[in-house]
Amino acid sequence: MIITVDTGGTKTLVASFDNSGEPTNQIKFPTPQDPKEYINVLRKTLEENFSNQENSSIVIAVPGTLDSQNSIIWCPNLQEWSGFNVVNALNGVLSGIPIVIENDANLAGLYEAKILNPIPRQTLYVTISTGIGTGIITNGHINEGLRNSEGGRSLIEYDGKLQEWQNFSSGKSFYETYGKFVRDITDDETWNQIVERMCLGFLELIPSLQPDVVVIGGSVGTYFDRYGDKLQKALTEKLPKHIACPRFIGAKNSELAVIYGCYYYAIDRQSNC
C-alpha cells in the first residue's frame, strides 16, 4: 500500500492506495495550526488505521515551499510551520517506512499531466482559489529545478501599482471585487473582466515556461466552462506571434488531484530506485 497525505490549510485527507491505483481507506481531520499537534494527530491516524497492512511508502503534500532538506520555507495558510521538517518529525512511524514530502500544487499538476494522452512535454498546472499556486510538470514528472515556482507571486503592474498576480486574480480577489463567489458569476461582462486579470499572469508565465498545456484547478478551475474559451481566445490574440498559445483545460478531479498525485509521485520514485 502507498499512503498519501493531503495537508490543507483547514483539513487533512489521508488515504491509502492499493496495487491497482485506487484509494481504499480515507480519513479526514482538521489541520492543526501547531505543527507539533499536527504530527501527533497524523501519527495517531497512521498507526490506528494502517499498521495492519503492508505499506511501501508515505507521501505527504503540504501547501508551501520546501528547501533541499525538506524543511518548510513558506506556508501562507499554516504560518507557524516555517522551518518545520515534517519528515524528520514523523521518523519511525509505521516501522520506519520511507516518507517523502512535496508541494501540493506540484502533486496535483503531476496527476493532471499523467492522465493526459499523450502526456505533454510541458504542463503548467495553476490552482486558483484563495491564492494562486503553480506546478510545472516536464515529460510527466515534477520539474525539480522549478519545484518551488510561485507563479501566483509574479509581480505585475495592475491598477497603477506593482503587485502579486494572486492579489487581483485569485478567487478571494474576485469575491472582494464583485461581491460574489465565482460559482455565482454567470454574466459575460464579469467573466470578461476576470479573464483580463488572468491574462496578465499568463502573459508573464507562458513565454518563459512555454507549456504545451495549461490546466486550471482549484475553485475557479471548477467553472472553467464559463471562461475557458474566452481565456484561450484572449491569450492567442495577446501573445507575441512567435509564441504559441498553449491549450487550456480545466482540471479533471480537483477534489482528489493531490492524493492521486501523491500516489503517482511514489510510483515514480519507486521506479527510479
Side-chain angles (χ1 to χ4, degrees):
M1 292 281 189
I2 292 170
I3 300 172
T4 65
V5 182
D6 176 7
T7 309
T10 58
K11 73 177 187 305
T12 295
L13 171 63
V14 183
S16 59
F17 280 75
D18 59 22
N19 292 333
S20 67
E22 293 298 323
T24 56
N25 189 11
Q26 298 184 38
I27 304 103
K28 288 183 181 180
F29 60 83
T31 305
Q33 291 291 311
D34 180 351
K36 292 182 180 178
E37 184 182 350
Y38 165 83
I39 291 298
N40 290 338
V41 176
L42 179 56
R43 184 181 290 272
K44 182 178 180 182
T45 300
L46 294 171
E47 290 174 345
E48 289 183 350
N49 294 276
F50 304 103
S51 291
N52 295 323
Q53 63 185 35
E54 187 176 343
N55 303 301
S56 59
S57 63
I58 301 171
V59 181
I60 300 172
V62 292
T65 55
L66 301 155
D67 66 18
S68 60
Q69 302 302 312
N70 290 322
S71 291
I72 293 172
I73 302 170
W74 180 73
C75 200
N77 295 319
L78 296 167
Q79 295 185 7
E80 296 179 34
W81 290 39
S82 179
F84 184 58
N85 192 306
V86 176
V87 175
N88 288 348
L90 273 178
N91 184 45
V93 73
L94 298 183
S95 302
I97 65 172
I99 304 171
V100 293
I101 188 169
E102 186 51 80
N103 171 267
D104 57 359
N106 288 342
L107 291 164
L110 178 65
Y111 163 72
E112 294 290 347
K114 290 280 195 184
I115 62 175
L116 295 176
N117 186 19
I119 293 174
R121 175 194 58 84
Q122 187 91 311
T123 303
L124 171 62
Y125 176 77
V126 182
T127 175
I128 307 178
S129 295
T130 303
I132 297 178
T134 53
I136 299 151
I137 313 302
T138 303
N139 295 321
H141 304 284
I142 293 172
N143 188 310
E144 292 295 328
L146 296 171
R147 180 190 188 197
N148 281 337
S149 65
E150 287 290 336
R153 305 198 74 182
S154 298
L155 293 175
I156 299 166
E157 186 173 346
Y158 179 78
D159 197 24
K161 60 183 178 181
L162 197 64
Q163 53 183 306
E164 294 180 4
W165 183 31
Q166 64 185 6
N167 287 356
F168 59 87
S169 194
S170 63
K172 178 183 178 182
S173 74
F174 298 151
Y175 180 81
E176 291 171 346
T177 301
Y178 303 107
K180 296 179 180 179
F181 294 108
V182 290
R183 64 172 180 262
D184 300 318
I185 298 173
T186 56
D187 63 288
D188 278 348
E189 180 54 34
T190 301
W191 277 114
N192 287 338
Q193 294 175 24
I194 288 173
V195 163
E196 285 300 309
R197 293 178 178 219
M198 288 185 180
C199 278
L200 293 176
F202 286 119
L203 288 171
E204 291 282 326
L205 297 176
I206 290 171
S208 55
L209 298 176
Q210 304 247 333
D212 301 293
V213 176
V214 177
V215 183
I216 302 182
S219 59
V220 176
T222 302
Y223 302 96
F224 181 81
D225 61 329
R226 300 184 187 181
Y227 62 86
D229 290 343
K230 297 176 184 293
L231 182 61
Q232 186 87 53
K233 182 175 184 293
L235 285 167
T236 299
E237 293 173 350
K238 293 175 185 294
L239 282 165
K241 297 297 183 184
H242 63 285
I243 296 178
C245 184
R247 179 166 64 102
F248 278 74
I249 60 175
K252 300 299 183 186
N253 192 349
S254 291
E255 185 69 22
L256 297 178
V258 174
I259 62 166
Y260 274 99
C262 289
Y263 167 78
Y264 281 119
Y265 191 55
I267 294 298
D268 280 353
R269 291 179 65 90
Q270 289 173 8
S271 64
N272 290 331
C273 291

